[in-house]
Amino acid sequence: RTILLEIPFWIALFQLTDIGNLKFATALKILLPLHVIWRYCRSTGKDMPVDGAVFVTGADSGMGQNTTHHLAKVGYHVFAGCYSKDSFAQYAGMDNVTPLVINVKDEKSVKQAADLVRKEIEGSDGKIAGLFGVLQCAGISYVAPFEYIPMSMFRDQVEVNYFGYVYVAQAFLPLVKESCAKDGARRGRFCFTSSGPLPGPGVPFITSYLGAKWAGDALCQGMRVELKLRQLPIDCCMLSPGVVKPTRLAEDGQKLLEKSFESMPAKAKTEYYDMIDAFRRFQIEEPGTHVSMVGTQMEKIMKHGRPYMRYFVGPDAVASTVVGCLPTGLREFLLRNTLMKHFKDCPKFIGG
């Protein structure tokens, strides 16, 4: 509607520039159509109502916990997927939060969680209109050199950070489809959390983690197009955070690091410990973005009628995409002078 109202102004401006034969007439006629296309592509359409329920993974702590509290406060009924029953206590007294146990890397556990959510909705006597959002925040990360990381640890990260997405999306898609097919229902959402959006720079010492996360990015983009081809009222989005604090990953980072080296040959510590310690010091010193911004962005993902493919959390997440598009030599030079700046023996140039 706004674009249509601007059209008469543009036509008049075009005429005036032609009459005056101004030098910027040609540039103006090129830039304004591009402006229209940009405005259309960035339009999020009519906002969706706050209705029904959402399912959140990783609700034990960090991003999943914040998303659960934020969306419950907004007015959604939130099914909080927790790895441990010990996490249920934090949701005591919240009438519109239903905590449940889920291990995202266990397909059987995921299917049981989906069945439980279905039973809760069907047994609510219409109080819960349906399931309209599946927001995946569960994740695990080990910092370790690729050369020595035990395959069990590598596989564990792929199972949680990639196959966990697959299991949850497949298990909950039928319920979201049924909910969105009802008369007058809102559109549904599947959100996957990435780390270092594509195209982004390859970061050392988290190769297994990033590999799984980038695979999840490809999964989201492909699934998004498939659902559009089917003309289903369901959208897929990526949430791309930079350094987010506080989260359990940051708090338990040193413990996980020591655990990683205990599982590797002794020479791994000799060859890589100083590098990884410098890498972690950079992460600790970064101010990061407060975890509350994750809940705010998740609310937008649920609200926007035409959601973006990607929602960023923090300026460093945006910068990561830009850096990923740079020539290899320049990209690796920047990584050397940021991520590895505390490593005293780091070569001046690591790019080629």
Side-chain angles (χ1 to χ4, degrees), residues 309-352:
M309 163 62 203
R310 191 178 307 280
Y311 290 75
F312 293 98
V313 178
D316 51 339
V318 180
S320 176
T321 303
V322 176
V323 172
C325 296
L326 297 176
T328 302
L330 178 56
R331 183 172 68 244
E332 293 179 348
F333 175 78
L334 291 174
L335 290 176
R336 178 253 180 269
N337 288 282
T338 53
L339 298 181
M340 301 305 300
K341 66 180 181 180
H342 294 301
F343 180 45
K344 62 181 181 180
D345 295 326
C346 188
K348 291 183 178 181
F349 297 95
I350 59 173

Side-chain angles (χ1 to χ4, degrees), residues 99-119:
L100 53 93
V101 172
I102 181 172
N103 179 358
V104 297
K105 70 177 185 178
D106 182 349
E107 192 173 4
K108 182 178 179 181
S109 173
V110 172
K111 288 181 178 179
Q112 289 175 343
D115 290 341
L116 179 58
V117 170
R118 178 183 289 276
K119 289 178 181 178

Side-chain angles (χ1 to χ4, degrees), residues 145 148 261 265-275 343 345:
Y148 297 115
F261 276 108
K267 60 182 179 180
K269 196 165 187 176
T270 303
E271 296 174 6
Y272 285 102
Y273 189 88
D274 289 345
M275 298 181 193
F343 180 45
D345 295 326

Side-chain angles (χ1 to χ4, degrees), residues 131-187:
L131 183 69
F132 297 104
V134 177
L135 314 175
Q136 301 206 50
C137 300
I140 186 172
S141 175
Y142 295 109
V143 178
F146 172 77
E147 183 177 3
Y148 297 115
I149 183 172
M151 192 50 59
S152 59
M153 294 173 63
F154 198 109
R155 187 177 292 109
D156 194 36
Q157 292 182 91
V158 175
E159 285 285 347
V160 173
N161 299 320
Y162 178 66
F163 281 107
Y165 285 172
V166 175
Y167 297 151
V168 171
Q170 280 199 336
F172 283 87
L173 181 56
L175 182 54
V176 175
K177 285 172 61 179
E178 292 173 22
S179 300
C180 295
K182 298 176 183 177
D183 292 337
R186 55 156 294 157
R187 295 183 67 85

